[in-house]
Amino acid sequence: MDVLNNLPAGGAATEILRVHPRLAAVFDALDASSWPWLLLRGGDDLALPAGDVDILVDKGVLPVLDGLLAAAGFCRVRAPGHGSHRFYFHYAVDDGAWIKLDVVSDLAFGPYQQWRTPWAARCLRRRVRRGTHWMPDPADQAWLLLLHLFMDKGSISPERHPLARAAARTAADGGRIAESVRRRVGAGLVAEMVDSVLDGRFDDVPGTAARMRAAWRGGLSPRLIAGANRVLRHAGAQVRGHTPLLGVMAPDGAGKTTLLNGLHADVPLPTKYVYMGLWGAGPWDKVLGRIPGGRTGKKIYRLVRGGVLARFYRRMGKVVLMDRVAYDALLGGSGGGPLAGMSNALALAVIPAPDVLLVLDVPGPVMFERKGEHSPELLESWRQDYLKLAGRLPGGRVVDAAQPAAAVQRVATGIVWETLSRPAGIRAATRRRNPGNGRSPAAQESVAPVAPAAPGAGAAEALALHLWRLLDWRFLIPVLQPRNLGFAGQVSQETEAALRLLDPEAVRLAGPAGASCDVVLLASPGRGHVEAAGLALEPGGWICVEASRSLLQRSGPRTLRGWKRTLERRGYQDVTLYWNAPNRDRTARLVPVRSGVAIRDTLALRKDVRFGALKAAAAHLALALHVFDLMVPEGTVTGRRPEGGGRP
């Protein structure tokens, strides 16, 4: 149900706006952070926004913003080269639509955010309340809209003519931004901009916009900023956190390629399509057929190439859409002698297992009508083989693909979102415990997407055993069961689920308003997290900092020794550094760095890993030179707040 919000004017409700429940959750989360924010544009299109929802926030909320919006159901997509812009997405399953947030902390204009301004803090100070959200002061809003149309877009589309005219009428009365704009582009161009809109001369807008861009003065060189951002954008967008791999299996004619191409085109997340086609025909089949082992060699080449691409794209933060998967090797009739059996086994080893495996279920006669290949009887027999296989594969989901392509794509999109928005460890546990969704293949003909569970809600049943290792830091402090647990930093959803099992009332530290905690966990902390922890910790409370060595970090400690010294300078006592060996994701040992014996024993166990001997030699040298705490790649630093005295 949509949320109804009143637009108050002096206490009287003059307009009723509908706000999508997910956006209402975002607004509530931002209000709870205690940092100022406002909705830049789109205040009249919040029921189910057709475009971006543009939000301006204070820079102070940035360290905790990802966590706040994740709790509201949004996933962040990193997009280098877009200035202060942060992009978040949510798929509204019931509406079959994506909602996109475009969050900024600075006000900059231009296609590459090259024309910067210092207006963000001023606009936040002058904001006004409108129902459940904040909006800019009317004069600020008018000028920001006109500058967005002229400096960003360079033209005004017909559907925006009435909105632009209304903004120009307000801007004609002046405003605090008006004088700043005149200093940057000149009073003549400002008057030309306003007059062209008021007079309806929209054909003149591109020329005026070009002259304003050329005349802009102040700040860093726009050309330099645009060039840097243009280069950064070549890195491409990346999904933050775990990126799912979606595999599709079905006989020819079931609609695999149509579905994956539709997902690749319509899902706004960064996706990559990988076609395996290990056993498909190729132009060189006649030549390879006359060479002993030629077809098997082609199969090996394709599986290695596809497996490498899938892993590379996943590492680059892309959602991988895989047409055909290695499980095809398990179908009857896929083998053809010892070489084929070896290549099938290699396929299962090289090609990554999908997080979700969609098996498209289409009757044989329907597949024959679609593609005209093979026979209805043969296609029906293959269909039954796929259904039997789906019932025993991890992550298998059978989808009724005989329905229209749009309906199939909507179901698949919901499954992609479900997989993306749920913690990775819970997904793995669910697959292991219930690989076929608890139903026979015949009962899975149409799978509806399941809404993601909130962190901590019902997570006790789904939390995998290995996720308890995320709480190993408890054994580094004397408080095994905290009374009041706080956390901050880059805490993943699965870690938050584990923390809430430890303390259902665990609080994410956000903003200047402190909580009262006896234990605080900081994961990859950023600016302000240590201060927030100091404000929240009770006398005698413990802080745990999980950090990594990062020599390229712009601010804050770059090494684990630096983090240890930071806590000591802030007055913490009993500060101890531990090495998470081999790393925080796969911690096998928590090794006290001050114990040379424990470090040497751990290194002895790591000799069999890749480059293990070389790494061990480097570690022994660092140990001898007393710089091991500078070389520790990932670790945990603990400290205790003194019983007396002020806050750290």
Side-chain angles (χ1 to χ4, degrees):
M1 180 182 297
D2 288 341
V3 179
L4 296 181
N5 300 282
N6 293 328
L7 175 61
T14 59
E15 184 179 344
I16 295 180
L17 299 177
R18 291 185 178 273
V19 179
H20 193 278
R22 282 298 165 186
L23 290 180
V26 169
F27 299 157
D28 290 342
L30 292 174
D31 280 336
S33 73
S34 301
W35 293 99
W37 65 276
L38 59 82
L39 191 66
L40 281 171
R41 285 176 293 274
D44 298 327
D45 184 26
L46 298 178
L48 190 61
D52 298 357
V53 179
D54 299 310
I55 298 175
L56 174 66
V57 299
D58 188 278
K59 291 182 179 180
V61 79
L62 295 182
V64 298
L65 184 61
D66 290 356
L68 290 176
L69 297 186
F74 283 79
C75 167
R76 182 179 176 187
V77 172
R78 297 183 183 274
H82 288 81
S84 69
H85 288 256
R86 293 188 177 205
F87 303 103
Y88 299 86
F89 292 86
H90 173 82
Y91 182 67
V93 176
D94 294 337
D95 302 304
W98 289 90
I99 300 176
K100 178 184 176 183
L101 305 180
D102 183 353
V103 183
V104 297
S105 55
D106 291 311
L107 291 174
F109 301 95
Y112 294 97
Q113 292 75 47
Q114 63 265 46
W115 293 293
R116 298 181 176 179
T117 74
W119 304 335
R122 307 174 197 174
C123 290
L124 288 171
R125 286 196 298 268
R126 295 192 293 264
R127 61 182 181 156
V128 294
R129 190 72 181 183
R130 185 181 185 185
T132 59
H133 54 275
W134 295 90
M135 295 293 290
D137 171 83
D140 290 348
Q141 186 175 14
W143 280 101
L144 293 177
L145 176 60
L146 289 177
L147 290 172
H148 169 68
L149 295 175
F150 277 76
M151 303 296 291
D152 293 347
K153 303 298 183 181
S155 62
I156 303 177
S157 57
E159 61 271 12
R160 289 193 167 187
H161 288 177
L163 192 62
R165 280 198 180 96
R169 284 193 293 269
T170 303
D173 295 332
R176 300 192 180 184
I177 291 180
E179 185 58 35
S180 184
V181 178
R182 293 189 185 99
R183 288 197 302 268
R184 281 167 168 78
V185 301
L189 281 175
V190 171
E192 182 180 335
M193 174 185 69
V194 175
D195 291 343
S196 63
V197 176
L198 287 176
D199 297 340
R201 294 182 282 108
F202 294 103
D203 292 339
D204 296 342
V205 169
T208 304
R211 289 191 292 275
M212 290 177 64
R213 292 174 175 180
W216 190 276
R217 296 184 298 272
L220 295 176
S221 169
R223 290 186 178 181
L224 181 62
I225 297 172
N229 284 341
R230 190 182 293 112
V231 171
L232 289 173
R233 290 188 187 185
H234 286 297
Q238 300 176 349
V239 175
R240 184 179 182 274
H242 177 81
T243 52
L245 189 152
L246 177 77
V248 178
M249 292 178 66
D252 294 335
K256 299 185 300 296
T257 305
T258 300
L259 170 62
L260 291 175
N261 284 335
L263 292 174
H264 184 55
D266 297 336
V267 172
L269 307 174
T271 60
K272 282 293 184 179
Y273 174 84
V274 177
Y275 176 72
M276 298 303 297
L278 305 180
W279 299 270
W284 297 96
D285 283 357
K286 291 184 179 180
V287 177
L288 295 174
R290 291 192 288 266
I291 301 175
R295 291 181 62 83
T296 301
K298 182 192 76 169
K299 185 195 300 186
I300 293 175
Y301 164 75
R302 285 187 173 181
L303 72 89
V304 171
R305 175 181 175 276
V308 169
L309 283 176
R311 294 179 188 276
F312 172 75
Y313 291 146
R314 200 173 193 181
R315 178 75 63 172
M316 294 300 293
K318 315 296 184 184
V319 178
V320 180
L321 308 174
M322 185 175 288
D323 190 342
R324 299 182 181 274
V325 294
Y327 295 136
D328 281 345
L330 302 177
L331 292 170
S334 64
L339 287 178
M342 292 174 60
S343 65
N344 291 343
L346 183 62
L348 292 170
V350 171
I351 301 175
D355 294 282
V356 173
L357 177 64
L358 298 185
V359 179
L360 305 185
D361 182 25
V362 182
V366 177
M367 286 187 281
F368 181 76
E369 290 179 5
R370 289 178 177 177
K371 209 162 185 179
E373 295 181 359
H374 309 294
S375 67
E377 294 76 20
L378 181 59
L379 291 171
E380 180 63 29
S381 67
W382 287 348
R383 172 201 181 196
Q384 297 302 324
D385 290 340
Y386 276 103
L387 292 177
K388 291 176 183 177
L389 187 61
R392 56 190 181 91
L393 290 177
R397 306 282 288 268
V398 179
V399 177
D400 178 12
Q403 55 187 324
V408 177
Q409 182 174 323
R410 179 167 177 171
V411 171
T413 302
I415 294 174
V416 170
W417 173 249
E418 172 197 347
T419 309
L420 181 67
S421 58
R422 292 175 60 197
I426 294 179
R427 281 196 300 270
T430 304
R431 289 200 304 269
R432 287 191 296 270
R433 187 179 64 253
N434 192 9
N437 298 317
R439 293 178 288 181
S440 65
Q444 297 185 50
E445 292 183 354
S446 180
V447 180
V450 181
E461 295 80 6
L463 195 65
L465 289 176
H466 79 277
L467 289 183
W468 289 107
R469 300 301 303 271
L470 298 175
L471 303 178
D472 281 352
W473 53 267
R474 295 178 303 156
F475 301 101
L476 306 179
I477 61 177
V479 186
L480 287 179
Q481 183 61 47
R483 291 179 288 100
N484 300 296
L485 174 62
F487 59 93
Q490 298 180 16
V491 178
S492 63
Q493 288 182 326
E494 59 265 32
T495 302
E496 184 170 347
L499 292 174
R500 295 198 184 281
L501 287 179
L502 185 63
D503 176 12
E505 303 299 325
V507 60
R508 180 182 289 272
L509 305 180
S516 180
C517 307
D518 60 334
V519 175
V520 171
L521 172 69
L522 303 181
S524 300
R527 182 179 57 189
H529 289 142
V530 178
E531 289 81 355
L535 293 172
L537 269 179
E538 302 172 351
W542 286 83
I543 184 174
C544 293
V545 180
E546 294 183 335
S548 304
R549 185 185 67 232
S550 178
L551 299 180
L552 299 179
Q553 186 172 322
R554 294 184 179 180
S555 63
R558 294 173 170 81
T559 64
L560 273 297
R561 177 191 286 184
W563 276 108
K564 182 173 181 289
R565 288 179 175 176
T566 296
L567 294 187
E568 290 173 341
R569 285 197 299 266
R570 291 177 176 273
Y572 288 94
Q573 300 176 350
D574 302 325
V575 179
T576 308
L577 172 60
Y578 298 88
W579 169 30
N580 287 54
N583 54 53
R584 282 160 51 193
D585 292 334
R586 297 183 296 108
T587 300
R589 283 189 169 193
L590 291 168
V591 185
V593 172
R594 62 187 176 188
S595 173
V597 174
I599 294 173
R600 293 186 182 93
D601 288 345
T602 303
L603 294 174
L605 298 174
R606 302 283 299 165
K607 288 184 177 180
D608 294 334
V609 303
R610 188 180 183 186
F611 304 121
L614 183 61
K615 293 177 180 178
H620 281 294
L621 178 61
L623 196 60
L625 297 176
H626 303 287
V627 294
F628 188 81
D629 53 352
L630 291 175
M631 306 302 295
V632 174
E634 299 184 46
T636 303
V637 186
T638 63
R640 178 176 59 84
R641 186 194 162 193
E643 293 287 349
R647 300 278 184 181

